[in-house]
Amino acid sequence: MVDRAPLVGRGAELDRLDAVIGAVVGGSDGDAPGAVDLTGPAGMGKSRLLTEVCRRARARGLTVLRGRATEYERHIPFRLFTDAFADLDPEATRGQEADPAVAPVLYGTTGPTERAGAAHQDAGADRVAGAEPYAGVAGAPAADPGPRADPGPDPDRGPDPDRDPDTDRDPYGGSGAGSGGLGGPEAPVDRFLVHRAAARMLTTLARDTRGGRRGLLIALDDLHWADPASLELLDHLVRHPPRGPVLLVVARRDRQTSASLAAALTRGVDTGAVLRLDLGPLPERTCVEQLAPGLPPDRAGRLYAASGGNPLYFLTLLQGQFAVPAVPAGGLSALLLDELTPLTAAQRRTAEAVAVLGDQATAPLLAPTAEVAGPGALDGHLAVLAGRDLLRPGPGGSWSLRHPVLRTVVYENTEPRERAGLHRRAAVALAGAGAAAAVRAHHVERALTGWDPQAAATLLEAAGQAETTAPASCAHWLGVVLGILPDTPEHRARRRGLLLRRARALSACGQLRASRDLLTSLVSQVDGADPDDGLRAAAVTLCASVERHLGRYGEAVALLRRELSRAPRPADALALGLELGSSAPHVLSYDEVREDVRRAFGLALRLGNEPAAAGALTTAALGETYGGDPTTARSLAGRAAARVDALADRELADLCEPLARLAWTEFYLDRYPEAERHADRGLALARRVGPPHLLPHLLVCKAVVHMNTCRLESALELSEEAENIARGIGSDELLGLVLGNKAQVLIPYLPPGDPLPLSVAQEAVELAGVRSSWWASLGWCVLSWAALYAGDHQRARSAMLRAGRGPELTGLQPSMRPLFLEALVTAAVAAGDLQEAESWAARAAADAARLGIPSQHASALRSAAVLRAARGEPSAAADLYVRAATEAARSGAVLWEAQSLLMAAPLAARPGSSRRASVLWQRGRRLAETGGSRLLTGLADLFPPAAPAPAPTPLLQLTPREREIAALVTEGLTTPAIAARLYLSPRTVDTHLSHIFRKTGVASRAALATLTARSSASP
């Protein structure tokens, strides 16, 4: 859209924006923000300022992409970003098309496919979203938040008894299948993979020097209207800025911004990643002199007072030339409606068609939508509307109303029946142009007046395409279909299938409570139904999984046990049993769950279900590990690994959770290479086909493996990716787990005294609330360690006791208890309570001996060392720390090896042992520096080993007479002269000289003179 409005004022804002652009151009890696947030009411000049920013960025050599969200297209996935990329030179993205994860951002949820539908009538049709040169294709199955029961024939996936075969192709361009065109051979792409791929693409574009340009500015206007998928991507880019000269500039109305978007941007402001500029009213002098220079001062003053300093209001009042400048009762809308009064009915209908079509308002689509006969008539209407500055031409032959506010006024004041007809005709025209299902679904939805199978087919197709990349849009369209689907017996099966599918989409986009409520309702609807259809068991399993992620473990267990008591069919019982094995250990001891897991394993064997058998074994292995029986756990883990490794990826596709459990088990058993290998396989599967809630578990597991093996840079990257996904899922319990582990990584990663680990750990325990699950306990344990390194030993002690549910420490994970006891020992010593420290240290030693896990033995040894050092036994303490380093090295826990060595070094620095202290310090610091531990390198540099005493000079080995003779040699005296001065015979002097040469290692008088001179010069 051509912006004809002058830029008025805003000099201070432009100065700050110029500085940010300059930082991008200069490649600054300092504290310059990666995003700018322009806020202000409608009409305050945000878009005009954005236009000026884009102009200045282009002038300084940056590539500029500009996208705009629109009010009535909020469920077209990634529309804001696809609009921004629409004008990008195709050469710039050459090679990106090979990555399917980039396609939703470049082309919409459909991705690149062959053109569908009729060919465009002219170049103007290129503005059809997703249609040039790409048209709609089938989507992919939903990401399931938990193990699925086999539901048998899915009423929404197979042949639809409600569908008339004659409507296989509908006028809206849909497939007509209730499945939404699902079931293609390609694996789905999850939205988190899309986020990372988009960030990589932006980095590539920013570093592309084609055409002499380097750097990238992405301007996103009217952000308050953006679709959920675009907002998720923006949040990711703010949290994890692309690595390169990339600047995001967004404009939005603050009062119309959702709370979640405002919170995300505010977090960026707090961290310095976002610069916020609030645009307020223009000063009167600036407004009048630049917008109405020839107007009499009194009239200009009244115009300014009526406009409140809003430039859009001011210009509208000025254009209206009202006798008494004042905003009428209807506000700006009434002023803008007055501009439509002179139009004919056909001209107004054309303007209304532009408002309905939005960015798709091109001549080939406007004519059928507005029902204008002949291109000449349409050209005439467009010319009149452009002459009145109601419409403005845009790229690709498109037209738009001059301001989003004007579009809102025209759209909302279109008679409802006429508006529905415009949308209906727009959907048909877009289908003929090969538009994507999401674009058509927007119009189909707004044209609905009741049940329409053909319209439902288009909506389901759009939902299918959005399931993995934009689940919020998927849930919305499924909800629309459910809203019009008749609640009659013949549609009952289909309704239930759609309800289950919508619940999955809601859980995937973080609306866990809405998903749970929907599933609870669904379960009650099929309470008396034949369980053999599988739908009830699938709903119960999913509902229990959602309850688990809401931290409602007791509810999940009760739901599963009740369903199992109904004697479900074996396949359903297996899925329910596996979910029970995942949920119950959070509130019950593993002893209370062991038999349930064994039954699930036996059932899996009887059914020949190898993935399920492997899943049951991994549940058992993790349970025994957590319960403190590593011997049994090692055996189970080995059996589980053998079964998992024998399975092909396609066999694990529906059960990637066993890989997460197996990886965690191996981590707790100090089998770091195996843990990382299984976590990597799980990640590869979960990114392609797995439920999104598994990704944080796998990422965090890999992160703590990297932390223990002292690869802290990558550990933090993995933790941050897990955090990004967890925040999108909406589970406080899951986010608490991720933040607890992130804080654990931040402790060694950041330098001493940094407050971030403590604040992240605090957020983790706040999310846990009063819960006492595994994950909540972990958060309190990490808070204890963070407080300890922050110097607050009292808080460290209270946090660990809170994690352990009191001094008995029954809430602490038995297989990790020696590590947690180390914090209590250290806190007790810091408080001067050596008796308590001794009690904790003894318990740590007993636990470590029983466990036989090297890293836990190392923890117990460090506890003993802390106690010995406090009792004034530095030599014994140093020896214990060295033994701890040896144990840590045996398990591959490089971080703990480095820490143990650095703790040993100052204690080993005693007379006669300075060299040993230096060797320990140097090795520990080298390991810490290589692994990126700024905590340990910082502490090491605070307490470097004392410089070793200088080696004794050879002259000190000489007798007094020999030193006397050596000094005379240095003066240049000959043997006879020395003999005469000392009253010795020349032979005696020569004998002394031979002894001197032997003791000092020199062979001549000149060398002896040099050695003596150097010795005299030394302090």
Side-chain angles (χ1 to χ4, degrees):
M1 180 180 73
V2 178
D3 199 330
R4 299 176 183 172
L7 179 64
V8 181
R10 309 303 182 195
E13 291 87 350
L14 280 171
D15 287 343
R16 298 187 71 181
L17 288 163
D18 275 338
V20 176
I21 294 172
V24 174
V25 172
S28 172
D29 293 327
D31 297 327
V36 178
D37 179 24
L38 303 177
T39 69
M44 202 56 75
K46 302 181 296 298
S47 297
R48 184 61 188 85
L49 181 59
L50 202 59
T51 298
E52 180 63 19
V53 171
C54 292
R55 186 191 69 78
R56 295 188 178 202
R58 286 191 190 94
R60 299 184 70 169
L62 272 69
T63 297
V64 174
L65 304 177
R66 184 168 183 177
R68 178 173 229 151
T70 50
E71 184 173 8
Y72 303 109
E73 291 82 11
R74 300 193 201 189
H75 292 287
I76 301 178
F78 299 106
R79 187 198 166 282
L80 179 60
F81 282 91
T82 55
D83 187 46
F85 285 110
D87 298 325
L88 185 65
D89 181 358
E91 287 297 318
T93 58
R94 190 169 298 281
Q96 301 285 349
E97 299 93 332
D99 185 354
V102 172
V105 180
L106 288 175
Y107 317 115
T109 53
T110 57
T113 65
E114 295 299 320
R115 179 192 300 263
H120 297 298
Q121 297 169 353
D122 64 16
D126 293 353
R127 295 289 297 174
V128 177
E132 176 53 40
Y134 309 102
V137 295
D144 186 347
R148 282 202 297 269
D150 178 10
D154 190 325
D156 194 50
R157 300 285 181 177
D160 184 359
D162 298 325
R163 183 172 60 86
D164 183 344
D166 293 335
T167 63
D168 188 59
R169 297 298 299 177
D170 68 78
Y172 301 127
S175 66
S179 67
L182 302 180
E186 295 182 1
V189 176
D190 76 78
R191 65 194 195 276
F192 307 113
L193 192 61
V194 171
H195 298 166
R196 294 192 303 278
R200 289 195 301 270
M201 179 178 66
L202 295 180
T203 299
T204 301
L205 292 174
R207 293 173 176 171
D208 185 359
T209 57
R210 188 183 292 107
R213 293 187 175 275
R214 187 178 186 277
L216 179 65
L217 183 143
I218 305 173
L220 304 174
D221 204 357
D222 288 331
L223 190 66
H224 49 280
W225 286 328
D227 61 276
S230 291
L231 293 178
E232 279 193 342
L233 175 54
L234 176 67
D235 184 48
H236 176 85
L237 295 174
V238 171
R239 288 176 179 277
H240 310 286
R243 298 174 182 271
V246 179
L247 178 63
L248 289 163
V249 184
V250 302
R252 62 187 176 90
R253 300 176 194 170
D254 194 38
R255 291 185 179 180
Q256 292 176 249
T257 300
S258 67
S260 58
L261 172 58
L265 291 170
T266 299
R267 281 196 300 268
V269 172
D270 293 342
T271 62
V274 176
L275 168 66
R276 177 169 291 162
L277 299 177
D278 296 311
L279 303 190
L282 292 172
E284 181 175 356
R285 182 173 180 179
T286 300
C287 194
V288 171
E289 288 184 356
Q290 296 190 38
L291 293 179
L295 210 62
D298 59 336
R299 181 170 178 77
R302 291 196 299 275
L303 278 173
Y304 177 82
S307 71
N310 184 304
L312 178 62
Y313 275 50
F314 188 91
L315 287 170
T316 304
L317 288 166
L318 181 64
Q319 188 174 9
Q321 289 294 308
F322 298 102
V324 179
V327 177
L332 183 60
S333 296
L335 292 174
L336 295 172
L337 275 174
D338 282 339
E339 297 186 47
L340 305 179
T341 304
L343 301 179
T344 67
Q347 291 165 355
R348 178 155 181 160
R349 187 163 61 251
T350 301
E352 292 169 346
V354 172
V356 163
L357 282 165
D359 283 352
Q360 318 304 329
T362 60
L365 296 174
L366 277 169
T369 301
E371 294 184 309
V372 177
L378 178 63
D379 290 344
H381 299 332
L382 293 173
V384 170
L385 294 169
R388 291 184 174 277
D389 196 25
L390 291 168
L391 295 187
R392 292 179 181 178
S398 65
W399 291 88
S400 62
L401 290 147
R402 74 167 182 266
H403 194 280
V405 174
L406 180 57
R407 184 193 181 195
T408 301
V409 169
V410 172
Y411 186 90
E412 296 297 337
N413 285 277
T414 301
E415 194 273 324
R417 184 175 298 179
E418 174 61 21
R419 188 167 59 220
L422 287 165
H423 277 295
R424 188 177 300 108
R425 294 189 292 274
V428 174
L430 285 163
V439 178
R440 291 180 278 115
H442 157 67
H443 294 284
V444 168
E445 174 189 350
R446 291 177 177 270
L448 286 171
T449 57
W451 171 240
D452 181 341
Q454 297 171 347
T458 298
L459 293 166
L460 291 173
E461 182 182 358
Q465 292 172 356
E467 274 181 320
T468 57
T469 56
S473 294
C474 172
H476 169 79
W477 283 317
L478 290 171
V480 173
V481 175
L482 284 163
I484 62 171
L485 185 66
D487 191 7
T488 57
E490 62 267 28
H491 293 284
R492 185 171 297 149
R494 184 174 196 182
R495 172 176 291 279
R496 291 171 177 172
L498 289 173
L499 284 170
L500 180 59
R501 188 173 162 197
R502 184 166 190 259
R504 287 175 181 153
L506 287 170
S507 65
C509 68
Q511 298 185 50
L512 294 178
R513 288 172 177 80
S515 176
R516 187 263 318 277
D517 293 344
L518 194 62
L519 288 163
T520 301
S521 172
L522 176 58
V523 171
S524 68
Q525 290 177 33
V526 294
D527 192 62
D530 181 359
D532 287 346
D533 64 8
L535 186 138
R536 176 187 166 86
V540 169
T541 304
L542 178 56
C543 189
S545 175
V546 172
E547 293 281 30
R548 171 159 57 99
H549 285 89
L550 287 170
R552 294 162 51 90
Y553 304 113
E555 289 82 353
V557 171
L559 184 64
L560 291 163
R561 289 205 185 281
R562 187 183 72 170
E563 191 63 23
L564 284 166
S565 71
R566 296 167 58 97
R569 64 179 185 171
D572 295 337
L574 178 56
L576 292 162
L578 290 174
E579 177 56 38
L580 181 63
S582 296
S583 298
H586 290 277
V587 287
L588 303 173
S589 69
Y590 187 68
D591 290 341
E592 299 173 87
V593 185
R594 187 177 289 108
E595 285 306 313
D596 294 297
V597 177
R598 284 177 177 168
R599 278 195 296 271
F601 177 66
L603 183 56
L605 291 180
R606 288 197 300 275
L607 293 175
N609 190 330
E610 279 298 311
L617 280 176
T618 60
T619 299
L622 183 59
E624 299 292 358
T625 301
Y626 189 91
D629 185 357
T631 301
T632 303
R634 289 187 189 96
S635 172
L636 289 168
R639 292 168 59 194
R643 286 182 178 270
V644 165
D645 292 344
L647 291 169
D649 284 354
R650 58 181 173 77
E651 295 177 286
L652 284 172
D654 284 339
L655 285 170
C656 351
E657 195 159 4
L659 284 164
R661 287 194 290 262
L662 179 58
W664 276 109
T665 300
E666 290 166 332
F667 165 74
Y668 291 136
L669 295 174
D670 284 358
R671 296 177 175 179
Y672 300 134
E674 293 89 343
E676 184 167 4
R677 177 169 63 85
H678 287 122
D680 279 336
R681 189 179 181 195
L683 283 168
L685 279 169
R687 291 192 199 285
R688 294 203 307 270
V689 297
H693 80 269
L694 281 182
L695 285 168
H697 287 280
L698 290 157
L699 288 164
V700 164
C701 180
K702 186 174 179 179
V704 294
V705 169
H706 281 214
M707 181 196 73
N708 277 265
T709 54
C710 210
R711 291 172 282 168
L712 293 172
E713 189 76 35
S714 57
L716 184 58
E717 289 177 2
L718 291 161
S719 298
E720 289 180 339
E721 183 184 349
E723 179 188 356
N724 185 54
I725 296 171
R727 290 190 185 277
I729 288 173
S731 165
D732 287 350
E733 187 83 351
L734 181 57
L735 182 58
L737 166 72
V738 169
L739 291 178
N741 281 283
K742 180 182 178 181
Q744 190 177 192
V745 172
L746 287 171
I747 291 171
Y749 178 77
L750 294 173
D754 195 298
L756 185 58
L758 190 60
S759 65
V760 173
Q762 183 62 44
E763 184 181 357
V765 299
E766 287 172 358
L767 288 165
V770 298
R771 291 191 288 268
S772 56
S773 63
W774 290 2
W775 301 350
S777 174
L778 171 68
W780 285 102
C781 290
V782 176
L783 179 64
S784 174
W785 276 109
L788 202 58
Y789 280 101
D792 190 344
H793 60 84
Q794 290 183 342
R795 188 179 185 186
R797 181 182 184 276
S798 63
M800 191 61 76
L801 291 178
R802 167 67 176 77
R805 303 175 202 163
E808 295 302 316
L809 305 182
T810 57
L812 295 184
Q813 180 178 338
S815 60
M816 297 281 285
R817 196 155 50 207
L819 176 64
F820 302 144
L821 283 163
E822 185 182 347
L824 286 172
V825 171
T826 307
V829 167
D833 192 342
L834 297 189
Q835 184 176 357
E836 179 176 303
E838 184 174 4
S839 172
W840 296 130
R843 186 164 179 182
D847 281 349
R850 179 177 53 80
L851 291 170
I853 299 175
S855 64
Q856 298 305 311
H857 188 203
S859 293
L861 289 168
R862 287 194 299 271
S863 292
V866 170
L867 195 57
R868 289 293 186 94
R871 287 176 170 166
E873 303 175 43
S875 179
D879 290 342
L880 286 167
Y881 276 124
V882 171
R883 287 175 58 195
T886 302
E887 282 294 296
R890 188 161 69 90
S891 69
V894 179
L895 177 69
W896 299 109
E897 179 188 0
Q899 178 175 332
S900 301
L901 290 169
L902 290 171
M903 296 295 287
L907 295 167
R910 60 187 188 278
S913 300
S914 59
R915 178 168 177 76
R916 183 192 185 206
S918 179
V919 169
L920 294 172
W921 184 89
Q922 289 174 6
R923 174 164 173 74
R925 194 189 186 289
R926 184 171 63 253
L927 291 173
E929 184 175 19
T930 302
S933 176
R934 287 183 276 179
L935 171 73
L936 294 183
T937 55
L939 292 175
D941 293 343
L942 287 174
F943 304 103
T953 176
L955 296 176
L956 294 177
Q957 304 175 52
L958 305 181
T959 65
R961 175 64 79 182
E962 289 169 347
R963 284 198 295 272
E964 192 175 15
I965 292 172
L968 293 174
V969 169
T970 302
E971 292 177 13
L973 273 65
T974 63
T975 294
I978 293 172
R981 181 174 292 190
L982 297 179
Y983 303 102
L984 299 172
S985 69
R987 185 173 180 179
T988 301
V989 171
D990 285 338
T991 301
H992 282 304
L993 281 173
S994 66
H995 293 162
I996 292 170
F997 289 160
R998 177 176 55 80
K999 290 180 180 180
T1000 60
V1002 298
S1004 67
R1005 286 173 175 267
L1008 178 61
T1010 300
L1011 178 64
T1012 304
R1014 286 177 179 172
S1015 178
S1016 300
S1018 299

